[in-house]
Amino acid sequence: MPDLRATLIFLHVAFVMLFVLVHGASAVIAFQLRSERDPARVAALLDASRLAVNSWVMIVGLVGFLVTGIWLGFLGGYWGKAWLWTSIVVLVLVVISMTPMAAGRLRRARLAYGLETGRDKEPPPAADLAQAEMELQSWNPMPVAVIG
């Protein structure tokens, strides 16, 4: 029978892989958006990206790797180690930098396509394809991919 530490390490790695898998799908979509011109296909890609990063799968992966990582930190007495704190700082910095660089830009494109409601929960506005095209063409997903 495997010990608790080995089981937690396995689960931690599995949850990280699940989280990365969902984000990988979103990254592929981001690169495809740069070359796509058909408004219906762009709208479908934007919706697929939203579904990927707002899915229960991504949340399970994120919560799972955080919980198992914290648990392993206590189990192994690693909270005094620099590598643990470095990994936490890197995770926070990646999240802080990627959110406005990717999620914000794609949200503005979805708003321009009329696929998403505004912050005040008003109905989606009529599609402004010129604004959506400008949002997508002025965005380079490469820096986000490198950070991720």
Side-chain angles (χ1 to χ4, degrees):
M1 183 164 147
D3 66 351
L4 179 60
R5 185 175 178 278
T7 302
L8 286 173
I9 290 170
F10 172 80
L11 288 173
H12 183 68
V13 172
F15 285 129
V16 168
M17 290 174 65
L18 185 65
F19 182 77
V20 169
L21 176 70
V22 172
H23 273 71
S26 189
V28 169
I29 291 169
F31 281 99
Q32 183 63 34
L33 281 168
R34 291 287 310 227
S35 61
E36 190 57 60
R37 295 291 179 265
D38 178 16
R41 287 181 50 93
V42 170
L45 288 168
L46 286 168
D47 200 39
S49 175
R50 181 187 54 80
L51 289 172
V53 296
N54 292 337
S55 70
W56 64 268
V57 177
M58 196 250 350
I59 293 167
V60 167
L62 177 64
V63 171
F65 91 71
L66 288 173
V67 168
T68 55
I70 291 167
W71 194 346
L72 283 163
F74 284 114
L75 192 63
Y78 300 130
W79 289 102
K81 304 289 184 185
W83 64 264
L84 181 66
W85 290 103
T86 301
S87 66
I88 292 169
V89 168
V90 168
L91 175 65
V92 169
L93 290 175
V94 167
V95 169
I96 288 171
S97 64
M98 287 183 79
T99 299
M101 290 175 72
R105 179 63 65 120
L106 293 176
R107 184 176 188 284
R108 287 192 302 274
R110 282 192 294 275
L111 282 168
Y113 263 89
L115 299 172
E116 193 168 313
T117 60
R119 298 216 186 275
D120 52 6
K121 303 296 182 202
E122 291 179 6
D128 182 353
L129 297 183
Q131 175 66 29
E133 177 75 14
M134 185 190 75
E135 288 289 344
L136 294 174
Q137 290 306 309
S138 64
W139 178 51
N140 181 3
M142 186 57 76
V144 178
V146 169
I147 289 171

